[in-house]
Amino acid sequence: MNTPMPPAEELALIDRELARLDSHRQYLLARRDWLLRLLHGAGPTPSPAAAPGFAPGFAPPAGPAKDASAPSAQNVLLTLGAVLLAVAALAFTLVSWGSLGIAGRSAVLGVVTAAALAAPVPLLRRGLRSTAESVAAVGLLLTVLDAYALYVVAAPDVDPRAYAAGAAAVLAAAWAGYGAALRGLRIPVPASVLAAQLPLPLAALALQAGPQALAWALLVTAALDAALALRLRWAALPAAVPGAGALLTGVSESWSAASASDALAPAALLLAGAALGVAAAWREPRARAAALVGGLAAVAALGGVARPELSPAWAVVAYLPAALALSATVRVHALPAAVRHGLARAGAGVAALAALLSAAPVAATLGSRVRVLAEVWAGTTPDAGPSGAGVAPAVALLLTAGAAWWLSRALSRPEPAAVAAVLAWAGLFTVPVLLGLPPAAVFAVQLAVTGAAGTIALRAPVRATGIAAGACALLGALNVSLGALDGRTSTFAVWGLLGVLGAAGAAYGPAPRPARAGAAVCVVGHATGLLVASAALTDLAVVWWALPVLAVPATVAALGPRLGGVRLPVEIAAGVAGAVAVALSAGRAGNLALVLALLGVVCAGAAVRPERRVPGWAAALFVAATWVRLAEVGVTAPEAYGLPVTIPALAVGVLRRRRDPASSSWTAYGPGLSATLLPSLVAAWADPEWLRPLLLGSAALAVTLTGARRRLQAPLLLGGAVLAVVALHELAPYVVQVAGALPRWVPPAMAGVLLLAVGATYERRLRDARRLRDAIGRLA
């Protein structure tokens, strides 16, 4: 670029211009802020003098920056002055009367009030709006004091509440007229609205009217406020306060009514409040809350008339018809959106509350069957519930379920359908118990309901509904299985039928995999229960009941790949059945060893399959069976029996690792090392001598070092764990002695220091732990 100026001079000129532009920009921002404050402050003032280099009428800010702008300081001073004047007026009126009589004091207050109310007129003409607002506020307060003085002078015998009602009405009208005359003031109109809240309620109190008359006065006041809110939006808040008071009074009176005729008057009040809320939402689309409150008031009115004629058990049901009818308005498109959504939400909220209140007795009914476990096969009959009255919670749940299902269809949403499935199951499942039907009828109905829930879970097109129905089916199967333990015949009949239903569900191919897995797990569980129940019918001891139960894991292991997608959950359930067999045989060492050995055979048979080439469980069970048997015969030197197993097992592991280097060290060396280390560790823990712990610790150290050198996870972790336990065993007596010699405050203090140290280096320790975890994970 060519330039007529030397580069150094042009660069200096550009820097000066940029600095001037930055200063000009800062000034313009400050001027803009001042003008915005001026629009909301005391009106226009003369513009500052023009400054060199700026447009006429503008001047840069001079001097240091101020902590507060001029309008802010002005507002603070005006507010403080108004407050002080108000305090002075109150003190003059109520405390410091001086030597003036009551008439003189009233005359002085009248003159001061007139001056305070007239002063804003010239102030507004001069643009001093904030000052005018402050003086007007003082004048409005003085009118209240004038009304009090007039009461003391002219009407001391009048009822204070009646006089206050009239004075509030007069002041509200006067303040409204004052605000209309001086439109530049913002205080008089809100003050008149607040004063207008008092006349009708105070008049009702003066007439010594009852709660309903007072509520009507509040409701009329709220209606007037709502009408005003159509022009002044902020008037909606004053309308909400008396309206809420009126509706709460109506609800209280409706709930305490002893008959339908007594509930008519509160119902009329509530319906009027409902009409007011709906009308407000109809005129103002954003007033959905008004329609919601109106819907709740309508439900309370209609339900309150029906409730006194019903028994207490049906009180909740009395409110449901109106609530469900309001829920249906979500499809009435002729109504405005605000009204439609508000009423529908009111109905849904009442229905949800009714379902929640009805769930308590239903849950108690379901949980009462746990008491059967205290005395299995006692043959007791469940207590019969009161006819008709006890079924009310179930009826409420069923009505709500129907409404939720309809809502799901109307809105094409899956969530209400899932809620409907849960509520319908809870209602139908508990109806026979609440009606006090015979046990056979109760089981028949509950089995049918459980089967229906399972069918929905298997065939539901929507995932949410299927999950909800499946959960209900599992809970129902568990509950009815507990109830069936009351009698022998019912146990075999109910459990057998549930097993058949579960097998049918597990075999239904098109069903979702989680539903089929749940059905298959139910089959395994009920088969295990039937085998235990069958063994209980014999004269065999409990320790022999485990042998029939072993048929469950054996059958699952034999089926293997035929189980398809439900193989893993079924095998887990079979493992639980094996644990039940171990628990049943734990009372006698010989039976326990036999059960462990048979389970080892089952696991070994399952490990033959290509997808189950993991013989670790089988080896562990065989070793456990062996040591249980050795402990039974009183063996005190387990190493003599463990080493002959460990040496060939380790040799086999070495050969396997050579043929298959990718195989895990746990598969190759874990069973062999465990055969000696673990039994010897148990023996060393109870051995008071020093030789066995020394030899075991040395062997564990060697195994640990070998695992670290060869980078093998199983020797490293097994040897390290055994070494740590042996060291703890050897140090335990000394730790106990030291702990007994120390003062009691030392251990907590040491723990606190340790926590502080760990907390101070938490991030570093966490990083080291991650490195250790990654290092162990990289081992074979």
Side-chain angles (χ1 to χ4, degrees), residues 7-385:
E9 295 182 7
E10 185 177 5
L11 180 60
L13 177 62
I14 290 174
D15 290 339
R16 287 195 299 271
E17 290 296 323
L18 289 175
R20 189 178 69 84
L21 289 174
D22 288 340
S23 176
H24 195 183
R25 182 176 183 276
Q26 295 296 327
Y27 167 71
L28 290 176
L29 291 175
R31 180 75 179 183
R32 178 180 181 276
D33 180 70
W34 183 82
L35 290 174
L36 289 175
R37 294 178 181 273
L38 185 65
L39 290 176
H40 299 87
T45 57
S47 301
F54 293 90
F58 293 87
K66 303 297 189 298
D67 291 336
S69 64
S72 298
Q74 167 189 289
N75 293 334
V76 170
L77 294 175
L78 291 175
T79 303
L80 182 59
V83 170
L84 292 176
L85 286 176
V87 171
L90 288 173
F92 172 76
T93 306
L94 302 176
V95 181
S96 301
W97 289 97
S99 59
L100 293 176
I102 186 65
R105 289 189 293 269
S106 301
V108 172
L109 278 177
V111 173
V112 174
T113 301
L117 293 177
V121 177
L123 293 174
L124 288 175
R125 290 176 181 175
R126 297 188 178 186
L128 302 177
R129 182 176 178 180
S130 297
T131 306
E133 293 280 5
S134 301
V135 176
V138 175
L140 297 181
L141 176 61
L142 290 174
T143 58
V144 177
L145 297 179
D146 289 333
Y148 171 75
L150 182 61
Y151 170 74
V152 174
V153 172
D157 298 330
V158 178
D159 185 358
R161 293 171 294 186
Y163 181 84
V170 172
L171 289 176
W175 292 351
Y178 183 70
L182 299 180
R183 297 184 179 276
L185 298 178
R186 293 175 294 179
I187 290 180
V189 174
S192 67
V193 173
L194 292 178
Q197 310 303 307
L198 301 177
L200 292 179
L202 289 176
L205 293 176
L207 295 175
Q208 297 183 352
Q212 294 188 30
L214 177 60
W216 276 107
L218 291 172
L219 187 61
V220 172
T221 303
L224 296 176
D225 293 335
L228 182 62
L230 297 177
R231 297 186 58 185
L232 303 174
R233 292 180 180 176
W234 53 264
L237 180 59
V241 176
L247 294 180
L248 290 176
T249 303
V251 171
S252 176
E253 292 292 317
S254 175
W255 186 258
S256 60
S259 63
S261 59
D262 294 339
L264 289 178
L269 174 65
L270 292 172
L271 289 177
L276 176 61
V278 171
W282 200 297
R283 292 293 302 273
E284 177 54 56
R286 289 176 294 183
R288 292 186 179 183
L292 173 64
V293 175
L296 295 175
V299 173
L302 299 177
V305 174
R307 182 197 57 80
E309 305 301 327
L310 301 175
S311 61
W314 290 87
V316 175
V317 183
Y319 295 91
L320 271 179
L324 299 182
L326 287 183
S327 300
T329 58
V330 73
R331 297 290 294 172
V332 183
H333 296 287
L335 297 174
V339 177
R340 185 171 68 250
H341 294 160
L343 294 179
R345 289 174 180 173
V350 174
L353 180 60
L356 184 63
L357 294 176
S358 302
V362 169
T365 302
L366 295 177
S368 62
R369 281 183 166 169
V370 179
R371 294 177 296 180
V372 177
L373 296 176
E375 193 173 0
V376 178
W377 290 354
T380 58
T381 303
D383 295 333

Side-chain angles (χ1 to χ4, degrees), residues 556-568 571 602-617 656:
V556 172
L559 291 176
R562 298 180 183 178
L563 297 174
V566 300
R567 177 180 54 82
L568 181 59
E571 288 184 348
V602 172
C603 291
V608 175
R609 299 199 305 268
E611 75 277 7
R612 280 288 181 266
R613 292 283 180 90
V614 182
W617 283 104
R656 179 170 183 174

Side-chain angles (χ1 to χ4, degrees), residues 352-676:
L353 180 60
L356 184 63
L357 294 176
S358 302
V362 169
T365 302
L366 295 177
S368 62
R369 281 183 166 169
V370 179
R371 294 177 296 180
V372 177
L373 296 176
E375 193 173 0
V376 178
W377 290 354
T380 58
T381 303
D383 295 333
S387 177
V391 80
V395 173
L397 292 176
L398 292 176
L399 290 175
T400 310
W405 178 83
W406 179 88
L407 195 63
S408 175
R409 299 291 299 273
L411 301 179
S412 299
R413 296 291 300 249
E415 295 85 359
V419 174
V422 175
L423 296 178
W425 170 83
L428 294 175
F429 194 85
T430 54
V431 158
V433 179
L434 296 175
L435 285 175
L437 298 181
V442 171
F443 286 134
V445 173
Q446 291 183 341
L447 285 173
V449 174
T450 301
T455 303
I456 294 175
L458 294 171
R459 307 186 65 176
V462 182
R463 180 179 179 85
T465 306
I467 293 175
C472 292
L474 290 176
L475 182 58
L478 177 61
N479 191 267
V480 76
S481 298
L482 285 175
L485 289 173
D486 187 57
R488 299 185 181 185
T489 303
S490 60
T491 298
F492 286 96
V494 171
W495 288 15
L497 185 56
L498 286 174
V500 172
L501 292 176
Y508 185 64
R513 182 177 296 181
R516 294 176 56 231
V521 169
C522 282
V523 173
V524 175
H526 286 94
T528 304
L530 286 174
L531 291 173
V532 174
S534 300
L537 292 176
T538 65
D539 295 331
L540 296 175
V542 176
V543 292
W544 293 103
W545 296 3
L547 297 179
V549 177
L550 293 178
V552 174
T555 304
V556 172
L559 291 176
R562 298 180 183 178
L563 297 174
V566 300
R567 177 180 54 82
L568 181 59
V570 170
E571 288 184 348
I572 294 175
V576 174
V580 171
V582 172
L584 290 174
S585 62
R588 185 180 300 171
N591 294 75
L592 178 59
L594 176 60
V595 170
L596 291 173
L598 292 176
L599 285 174
V601 172
V602 172
C603 291
V608 175
R609 299 199 305 268
E611 75 277 7
R612 280 288 181 266
R613 292 283 180 90
V614 182
W617 283 104
L621 290 170
F622 284 139
V623 170
T626 302
W627 286 115
V628 169
R629 177 65 67 179
L630 293 175
E632 182 187 18
V633 298
V635 172
T636 58
E639 296 81 6
Y641 299 89
L643 286 175
V645 177
T646 295
I647 294 174
L650 293 177
V652 172
V654 171
L655 294 176
R656 179 170 183 174
R657 290 274 296 176
R658 289 180 180 178
R659 295 182 180 181
D660 184 12
S663 61
S664 172
S665 62
W666 288 101
T667 304
Y669 307 119
L673 293 174
S674 301
T676 297

